[in-house]
Amino acid sequence: STRDRLDLFMRLRLPSLAGTQWGLNLQLDYYQGLRPYFGLGNNTSYDPRLTDPDSPHFADRSYYTYRIHKPRLLLTLMRPVRYPLFVAAGFGLKHVDIRPPERTSLLFEDQLFHLAEGSSGLVGVMLRWDTRDDETLPRSGALHEWSYESAHNSLLGLLLPQIGFSRYTFSDLHFFPLTSRLNLPAVLILLIGI
């Protein structure tokens, strides 16, 4: 459902900056919406009286959800080393705001874990091996990416040694044309978070 949800993004790609071999990717996105939360574990109970305005136990129409706002900016500089090998360095900023949908929600009443709210920044490096015939709609070829990201729990954290988390990502994509209009992609993505 798209009710009470807004998902916007803008991407800009410049293959070459001022005659250099460096390219620029800029991504700006914004997400806001309601996400479900029914508690931790498979044995949590659901009480429909908590979302029924006519019930004496009424808490909130959207008691089993929470509202999230998440703007994000990503900037990546990429340079070919020798075809098909590319290197890239990136920087990003993100802000997460989590609130009850109206009056209250189960997420805020549970308080079983720390909500990952606030501003954060990330830096990353990437190696890419790209033999796809077309970057937007590939019919054949492969894309292999190896990347490392380090995110910090505040914007000031980018200047300090305290790290919020580190992530290694390994992506392996292959594209096989089956007919003139049908393509078979094979995708393997491995994420390792520290």
Side-chain angles (χ1 to χ4, degrees), residues 40-53:
L40 293 177
N42 293 328
N43 297 325
T44 57
S45 61
Y46 172 76
D47 187 351
R49 298 175 302 172
L50 296 172
T51 59
D52 181 4

Side-chain angles (χ1 to χ4, degrees), residues 13-112:
R13 178 166 185 202
L14 301 172
S16 179
L17 289 173
T20 69
Q21 289 192 346
W22 287 95
L24 172 71
N25 291 337
L26 179 66
Q27 180 176 328
L28 178 63
D29 53 55
Y30 176 79
Y31 173 85
Q32 80 171 27
L34 292 175
R35 290 191 178 169
Y37 176 77
F38 295 98
L40 293 177
N42 293 328
N43 297 325
T44 57
S45 61
Y46 172 76
D47 187 351
R49 298 175 302 172
L50 296 172
T51 59
D52 181 4
D54 298 327
S55 169
H57 303 285
F58 175 70
D60 193 316
R61 288 180 194 270
S62 302
Y63 180 71
Y64 292 104
T65 63
Y66 63 93
R67 185 174 301 283
I68 185 168
H69 297 263
K70 187 167 62 171
R72 184 176 67 159
L73 172 68
L74 298 172
L75 175 74
T76 306
L77 292 170
M78 185 175 291
R79 185 180 195 279
V81 178
R82 184 174 178 185
Y83 180 82
L85 182 64
F86 298 82
V87 295
F91 174 77
L93 298 173
K94 178 174 73 170
H95 182 79
V96 177
D97 186 25
I98 298 175
R99 299 179 184 168
E102 294 172 19
R103 301 185 318 181
T104 186
S105 90
L106 178 62
L107 177 70
F108 286 86
E109 290 181 4
D110 272 358
Q111 296 184 358
L112 296 176

